[in-house]
Amino acid sequence: MSRHLNVAMGQLGPIQRADSRTAVVKRLCTMMREAKSLGAQIIVYPELALTTFFPRWYIDDVQELHSFYETSMPNIATQPLFDLARQLEIGFYLGYAELAREADGLHRYNTAILVNTRGEIVDKYRKVHLPGHSEHEPWRRFQHLEKRYFEPGPGFHVRRAFGGVMGMALCNDRRWAETYRVLALQGCEMVFIGYNTPVHNAPAPQHDDLSLFHNQLSLQAGAYQNGMWAVGVAKAGLEEGVDSIGGSCIVAPSGEVVARCITKDDEVQLARCDLDWCAVYKRTTFNFDLHRQPHAYGLITEKKGETLAADGTQWGVDR
Amino acid sequence: MSRHLNVAMGQLGPIQRADSRTAVVKRLCTMMREAKSLGAQIIVYPELALTTFFPRWYIDDVQELHSFYETSMPNIATQPLFDLARQLEIGFYLGYAELAREADGLHRYNTAILVNTRGEIVDKYRKVHLPGHSEHEPWRRFQHLEKRYFEPGPGFHVRRAFGGVMGMALCNDRRWAETYRVLALQGCEMVFIGYNTPVHNAPAPQHDDLSLFHNQLSLQAGAYQNGMWAVGVAKAGLEEGVDSIGGSCIVAPSGEVVARCITKDDEVQLARCDLDWCAVYKRTTFNFDLHRQPHAYGLITEKKGETLAADGTQWGVDR
């Protein structure tokens, strides 16, 4: 038994602030054609793939801020990408900033969509784990205001598509083991994860050198420990003076990296992924029904932060 | 600020079935002296460190089975280890099979204890994630009957000891992200994990070649994603015809391996671990209070196994 899915990564190089959506969509279309020529059935683009990574600036003016969001999808700028997908019969995953007019007013999300080979949106995901901070912090070399510009989405879900059970996540979600587990508990066989990860992390510059290692470690562990494929795709390179990691890769349910981008520019790479390979793990070492022990996991949902240690003081304090 | 703890791994080579506890304790004592000479404040021994790994056999006779368990700790065989610890002023972590007479009868656990520098047991942990199977499966080259010979422990807890917040786990626990997270939610700064891991996994021989990789991947991801030190220590080598991995290592909160055993025999290696290094991660990327999103984690405690996908069929079935 085998269910092969040919998955392309459409890694993006930098998008400068002055670059128009039209110019970006042209780059996405170029990569889509390349992916198709390699036999890809789906191409995975990064998080916030239509504009520069605007949370690096404190933007007070709402109109200026909202110029980075999409109010509908597809829209005039992105329609060519949907048209090309339908024409080439290739699916895609795309991240963008979403401005949603809902019953109770405007909401802003860091969003990804899954589009089928007929150019139809079949699923939408709103980022759960927003990193960074919510107030202007002038001491930083650059801001990371995702907590200001977005609200967290409701959770993780799966969708039957492309011959398997697909999940979506975004960027910082990949560092949290809960992301993969909640998806796997719903049968997820492949998770798509676009990201923008600056090399420099202002609060902890001690681990700037490890950014690529941490990216890959998280994707590998998430894939292995849940018997699923993980596809991580970067927006990489020097964008408005801020350097971001590349390191896009496709990880098998074994935890092995099977395809990788090596530049920090627009780059397409592909892997032939057998979705049935998940079962080798899901039915043995990670057969949840046999081996998970939820009676011991209570704190994971009961608590957000650390509890106090037995003697009433917290780690790192008063010792 | 720094709180250094010098941690030794006391990796064991094989223990054959005919080897007496007295002989094994002698080996443990030899390694304890060596660890002390390197400046260690604690030495970490493997899981089930006093006997051969008996779950590889189906043992019908209860008396024979129970000969592998300890009914008290310390006992005559292990007293010399406790005496030496007190004399050298060094602590230790030790795994063994525990036969506990409790109010409602006899119970069997796969247990680890933490002993302080005065030779006193300060904490006990009973393994939560028991791997393997519970019935005799003659088709296997060897059995893995942990589910038959032990019952799962109640959960994960921490203990303030050795100048920090310490946690314990055993073997298969290290593959489950929940282990590290539940410990970290209680402020854990260092987790000790003894293991016995056969190279060959009968239900999934496809990944025998990856056993060492999976061991290290799990320890590294658990350490990094929770800002804690992880100390994994093997019983290694060819024991009664079954080859087990070594690969004992100490992993920093950065996910980097800082010390490693390279043989499959009795081997002592040491790392100087700064417990304050945890804060670099616990206060930034993995500041749970700021960044965790328990509203999205419900399934982790609600469910043991997979739920059905949206259309009512499960992964890998009917596709």
Side-chain angles (χ1 to χ4, degrees), chain A residues 215-235:
Chain A
N215 172 59
Q216 188 171 310
L217 176 62
S218 296
L219 291 168
Q220 288 184 290
Y224 164 60
Q225 295 181 341
N226 295 280
M228 64 170 71
W229 291 86
V231 183
V233 179
K235 179 139 65 66

Side-chain angles (χ1 to χ4, degrees), chain B residues 39 52 67 81 103 118 124 162 197 220 224 226 245 279 309 311 316:
Chain B
T52 199
S67 72
L81 188 65
R118 292 187 300 276
K124 180 189 277 192
F162 299 98
T197 301
Q220 288 184 290
Y224 163 61
N226 295 280
I245 65 166
D311 65 356

Side-chain angles (χ1 to χ4, degrees), chain A residues 249-288:
Chain A
C249 58
I250 299 180
V251 182
S254 62
E256 294 168 291
V257 174
V258 297
R260 186 198 306 272
C261 292
I262 55 167
T263 71
K264 294 179 89 168
D265 292 316
D266 292 10
E267 179 178 356
V268 175
Q269 296 290 348
L270 177 129
R272 182 159 164 76
C273 307
D274 185 353
L275 297 176
D276 279 332
W277 195 250
C278 299
V280 172
Y281 292 86
K282 286 185 190 288
R283 287 180 180 158
T284 62
T285 309
F286 299 108
N287 184 322
F288 292 169

Side-chain angles (χ1 to χ4, degrees), chain A residues 129 160 185 292 297 304 307, chain B residues 129 292 297 304 307 311:
Chain A
H129 294 99
R160 295 181 67 86
L185 282 163
R292 290 185 80 240
Y297 306 156
K304 181 177 170 80
T307 53
Chain B
H129 294 98
R292 290 185 81 244
Y297 306 157
K304 181 176 170 80
T307 52
D311 65 356

Side-chain angles (χ1 to χ4, degrees), chain B residues 96-290:
Chain B
Y96 63 93
E98 178 191 11
L99 189 65
R101 189 173 300 278
E102 294 172 1
D104 60 345
L106 279 182
H107 295 271
R108 300 185 295 220
Y109 303 103
N110 189 338
T111 294
I113 49 169
L114 189 63
V115 177
N116 69 14
T117 57
R118 292 187 300 276
E120 300 158 347
I121 297 173
V122 293
D123 203 6
K124 180 189 277 192
Y125 164 74
R126 290 163 169 172
K127 186 173 179 178
V128 168
H129 294 98
L130 299 167
H133 49 109
S134 55
E135 299 304 324
H136 189 208
E137 299 186 1
W139 62 271
R140 292 173 183 252
R141 206 195 302 161
F142 52 89
Q143 304 293 297
H144 199 117
L145 286 161
E146 287 193 60
K147 284 196 197 293
R148 183 178 192 86
Y149 296 154
F150 303 111
E151 56 188 282
F156 303 97
H157 61 275
V158 298
R159 182 69 51 181
R160 295 182 68 87
F162 299 98
V165 182
M166 304 288 134
M168 291 192 282
L170 280 161
C171 196
N172 184 40
D173 288 327
R174 74 195 187 288
R175 302 185 198 277
W176 298 87
E178 289 89 346
T179 299
Y180 307 90
R181 186 69 93 228
V182 170
L183 288 169
L185 282 163
Q186 299 170 79
C188 184
E189 296 175 312
M190 179 176 280
V191 58
F192 306 116
I193 311 178
Y195 59 91
N196 283 262
T197 301
V199 173
H200 175 60
N201 181 31
Q206 300 95 324
H207 47 83
D208 287 357
D209 291 349
L210 301 175
S211 299
L212 265 178
F213 164 61
H214 289 156
N215 172 61
Q216 188 171 310
L217 176 61
S218 296
L219 291 168
Q220 288 184 290
Y224 163 61
Q225 297 183 339
N226 295 280
M228 64 169 71
W229 290 86
V231 183
V233 179
K235 177 138 67 65
L238 196 65
E239 203 180 81
E240 297 292 343
V242 176
D243 193 26
S244 286
I245 65 166
S248 303
C249 59
I250 300 180
V251 182
S254 62
E256 294 168 291
V257 174
V258 297
R260 185 198 308 271
C261 292
I262 56 168
T263 71
K264 293 178 89 168
D265 292 318
D266 292 9
E267 179 179 356
V268 175
Q269 296 291 348
L270 177 128
R272 182 158 164 76
C273 307
D274 185 353
L275 298 176
D276 279 332
W277 194 250
C278 300
V280 172
Y281 291 85
K282 286 185 189 289
R283 289 181 179 157
T284 62
T285 308
F286 298 108
N287 184 321
F288 292 169
D289 265 322
L290 290 181

